[in-house]
Amino acid sequence: MEVREVALAAGESYELRLAGRGARGYVWTWQVTGDEDAVSVTEAPHAPVRAAPGAALERTYVVRGRCPGGRARIRFAQVRPPYPQEAPYDEFVLEVEVVEVTAS
């Protein structure tokens, strides 16, 4: 499991790209802990791609800072929804600190 730390100002966004395994039934899910209101997470729209059967397709998620002074931990897990008892195939953790922007 990879862990990455980022600092964002309120309104600033960070794009996270994760390899998909949709052909095998896996999807990325996420859970925000800590200051849940400090960030928002959305999946970026993706254009249809012609790929070979079984090819991994990348997914992009946009994390946006919302409340300065907040800290959130976002755990992305690659799971197969029909099999909730299975351990995730892959996991990624993003530690986010939302910082104050000071005028220079």
Side-chain angles (χ1 to χ4, degrees):
M1 171 174 49
E2 182 179 347
V3 177
R4 188 176 303 166
E5 296 180 13
V6 297
L8 299 174
E12 186 178 14
S13 62
Y14 177 81
E15 285 192 1
L16 176 65
R17 290 179 173 79
L18 299 171
R21 297 177 64 80
R24 295 198 172 110
Y26 287 91
V27 297
W28 283 102
T29 61
W30 66 86
Q31 179 180 17
V32 179
T33 57
D35 299 328
E36 295 177 20
D37 293 336
V39 297
S40 66
V41 182
T42 57
E43 183 174 358
H46 53 277
V49 176
R50 291 190 60 130
L57 296 177
E58 192 174 76
R59 295 288 185 230
T60 302
Y61 298 89
V62 178
V63 177
R64 186 172 304 279
R66 295 179 54 193
C67 300
R71 292 186 71 88
R73 179 183 182 105
I74 308 165
R75 177 183 168 266
F76 291 88
Q78 198 171 38
V79 298
R80 293 194 301 173
Y83 306 99
Q85 72 283 3
E86 287 184 359
Y89 177 81
D90 197 5
E91 293 179 278
F92 185 93
V93 173
L94 188 63
E95 300 273 356
V96 182
E97 178 181 7
V98 184
V99 297
E100 286 281 344
V101 176
T102 57
S104 300

